[in-house]
């Protein structure tokens, strides 16, 4: 199983370092020195992380063979992809990888069918389940503990306790995230989800 763990940003300094937009809750595991990552586009990789450090709250990486600003700039916007055992679980029992959540059936606590998770949308304020309803429409369910009350991977289902209007509302994900939707009442700190 392959998971996107970061996107390379702009070059930092003149010695080949780049900024990265981290897309994993386990950067120390996925983005440590010695890690070999495949890339998208594939022609820029694979890349081996030589060094990593945090500067002004941002992760900086240097890759083997890239030792100047020109080489670093050539990597800009490249996605870094880690190979992950499909059976691997995050360290925290309340966290999940996206691939574990896709295709789960979504039901209410009363057992009413809501739909099936087709995508996890990672927004700045919180993660959302994109749930396809039986009629083909979509609803957006914030992945926060007050709404998603249980994940059962063995039973392949997610149990939700939706606030009034959530599963009947057709609010766009950016509206949910910025407070215009019926379900935007929790912030990202409450999210039990994880990218990779």
């Amino acid at each position: 199983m392959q998971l996107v763990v970061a996107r390379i940003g702009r070059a930092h300094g003149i010695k080949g370092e780049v900024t990265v937009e981290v897309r994993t809750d386990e950067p120390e595991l996925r983005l440590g020195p010695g890690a070999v990552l495949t890339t998208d586009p594939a022609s820029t990789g694979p890349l081996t992380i030589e060094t990593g450090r945090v500067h002004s709250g941002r992760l900086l990486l240097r890759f083997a063979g890239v030792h100047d600003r020109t080489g670093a700039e050539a990597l800009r916007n490249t996605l870094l992809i880690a190979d992950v055992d499909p059976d691997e679980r995050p360290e925290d029992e309340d966290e999940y990888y996206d691939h574990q959540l896709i295709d789960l059936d979504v039901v209410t606590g009363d057992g009413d069918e809501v739909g099936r998770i087709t995508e996890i949308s990672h927004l700045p304020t919180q993660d959302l389940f994109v749930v396809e309803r039986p009629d083909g429409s979509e609803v957006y369910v914030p992945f926060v503990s007050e709404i998603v009350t249980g994940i059962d991977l063995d039973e392949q289902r997610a149990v939700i306790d939706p606030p009034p209007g959530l599963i009947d509302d057709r609010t766009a994900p950016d509206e949910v995230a910025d407070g215009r939707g019926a379900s935007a009442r929790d912030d990202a700190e409450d999210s039990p989800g994880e990218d990779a």
Side-chain angles (χ1 to χ4, degrees), residues 52-72:
R53 66 186 178 103
V54 176
H55 175 71
S56 299
R58 199 160 182 98
L59 180 61
L60 302 178
L61 297 179
R62 181 182 295 128
F63 299 99
V66 180
H67 297 288
D68 61 29
R69 187 174 185 87
T70 302

Side-chain angles (χ1 to χ4, degrees), residues 1-180:
M1 171 63 84
Q2 294 192 313
L3 299 173
V4 174
V5 293
R7 183 182 65 81
I8 297 175
R10 63 179 175 250
H12 178 84
I14 60 170
K15 297 183 179 179
E17 285 185 312
V18 294
T19 62
V20 293
E21 173 192 320
V22 176
R23 295 189 181 178
T24 174
D25 288 341
E26 300 174 311
E28 66 288 341
L29 175 65
R30 307 287 178 212
L31 300 171
V36 179
L37 303 166
T38 55
T39 60
D40 181 6
S43 59
T44 59
L47 294 172
T48 301
I49 296 175
E50 195 170 86
T51 64
R53 66 186 178 103
V54 176
H55 175 71
S56 299
R58 199 160 182 98
L59 180 61
L60 302 178
L61 297 179
R62 181 182 295 128
F63 299 99
V66 180
H67 297 288
D68 61 29
R69 187 174 185 87
T70 302
E73 275 296 336
L75 298 175
R76 192 169 188 167
N77 293 321
T78 297
L79 296 178
L80 299 176
I81 302 166
D83 290 313
V84 177
D85 182 334
D87 296 325
E88 182 180 326
R89 299 285 296 268
E91 290 181 10
D92 188 325
E93 64 181 28
D94 291 329
E95 294 180 345
Y96 304 90
Y97 295 130
D98 287 5
H99 71 271
Q100 295 173 306
L101 301 170
I102 300 294
D103 288 330
L104 292 187
D105 293 321
V106 179
V107 297
T108 66
D110 297 332
D112 296 332
E113 179 185 8
V114 177
R116 181 179 58 86
I117 299 172
T118 58
E119 182 183 343
I120 312 298
S121 180
H122 300 285
L123 301 175
T125 55
Q126 65 191 14
D127 295 337
L128 296 176
F129 290 162
V130 179
V131 179
E132 183 178 311
R133 304 292 306 268
D135 65 6
S137 64
E138 291 182 337
V139 336
Y140 305 97
V141 177
F143 191 13
V144 293
S145 57
E146 289 79 6
I147 296 174
V148 179
T149 59
I151 299 286
D152 187 333
L153 296 180
D154 294 329
E155 294 292 322
Q156 286 291 288
R157 68 179 188 172
V159 179
I160 65 171
D161 180 16
L166 175 66
I167 60 177
D168 296 322
D169 189 79
R170 301 295 185 250
T171 308
D174 59 333
E175 292 176 337
V176 171
D178 71 15
R180 290 180 283 162

